[in-house]
Amino acid sequence: MRAAVFTALCISLSAGAHVLLSANPLPLGMLAALSAGVFAVAFLLAGRRERGYWSIAALLVPLELAADTVFTTGQHTCYGQSGGPVAGSMRSLGLDLLCSGEFGTPLARMTARGEALAGTAASPWLLLGAHVGVGLVAAAWLRRGEAALAGLLRAAAAVAFRPLLLAVAIVTVAPVRSTGRPGRRSDRTRAARPRPHLLHSVLRRGPPCPAAA
């Protein structure tokens, strides 16, 4: 579950920022393949313990930048510099399967200044700054969500096991015998003192008989 949430956030942020700043859609097949790769990495590094902010950010930001590089390569490979489809030797290698479908076409159409921005020399730095800034904010959001989930699980475990703990405590506590009336404090203190062994024993055995000897 943690790896799935991480993958959904990483891919959606990276793909959305890339489509907005490049004003071009993304190949749907390449997006699905990259999502599977990010999920595998997140699943291997998720672990069982709660992760801190810098641990999440150290994985989220590099994966976002790697996804942006893959998206740029995919756009150039699938659509070309002029936006044409895959043809020639690329189609024979099976890249047309990765280039099937389009993701973010309505979002790309909404960016009216995207074409002018994509052709400027500052566009790579804008992409880098956007990915790093959004990645740090998303890491903080994931950290808060993970802390909230861990607290919720601890509270649920405490509520679920509390009746069992009470039952175990009732069974393990020794029952207190009632004497009918409360005695005096001196009697209770005297009764609580440990007594020596064989206090009420009567020794009736004498020396052995001579015949038996």
Side-chain angles (χ1 to χ4, degrees), residues 5-67:
V5 173
F6 181 90
T7 303
L9 186 62
C10 178
I11 295 298
S12 60
L13 290 177
S14 181
H18 193 85
V19 169
L20 281 174
L21 294 178
S22 65
N24 288 318
L26 295 174
L28 190 59
M30 188 168 293
L31 183 68
L34 186 62
S35 300
V38 171
F39 177 80
V41 174
F43 183 79
L44 292 176
L45 298 178
R48 294 175 178 266
R49 64 183 180 87
E50 186 178 348
R51 299 294 181 179
Y53 171 75
W54 293 112
S55 300
I56 298 174
L59 182 62
L60 181 62
V61 175
L63 283 179
E64 273 197 76
L65 297 178

Side-chain angles (χ1 to χ4, degrees), residues 94-150:
L95 289 179
D96 55 334
L97 297 178
L98 292 177
C99 296
S100 59
E102 290 184 353
F103 173 80
T105 303
L107 189 61
R109 291 174 180 172
M110 291 174 57
T111 57
R113 299 177 59 186
E115 292 291 342
L117 184 62
T120 60
S123 57
W125 299 103
L126 291 176
L127 279 172
L128 178 63
H131 283 303
V132 172
V134 172
L136 293 177
V137 174
W141 184 80
L142 283 176
R143 169 62 187 143
R144 295 292 298 272
E146 184 157 345
L149 179 61

Side-chain angles (χ1 to χ4, degrees), residues 169-196:
I170 292 174
V171 171
T172 54
V173 171
V176 180
R177 295 181 180 179
S178 178
T179 57
R181 59 183 181 87
R184 292 178 301 176
R185 182 175 181 181
S186 60
D187 296 340
R188 293 198 300 268
T189 306
R190 190 181 302 109
R193 293 176 181 174
R195 296 188 177 184

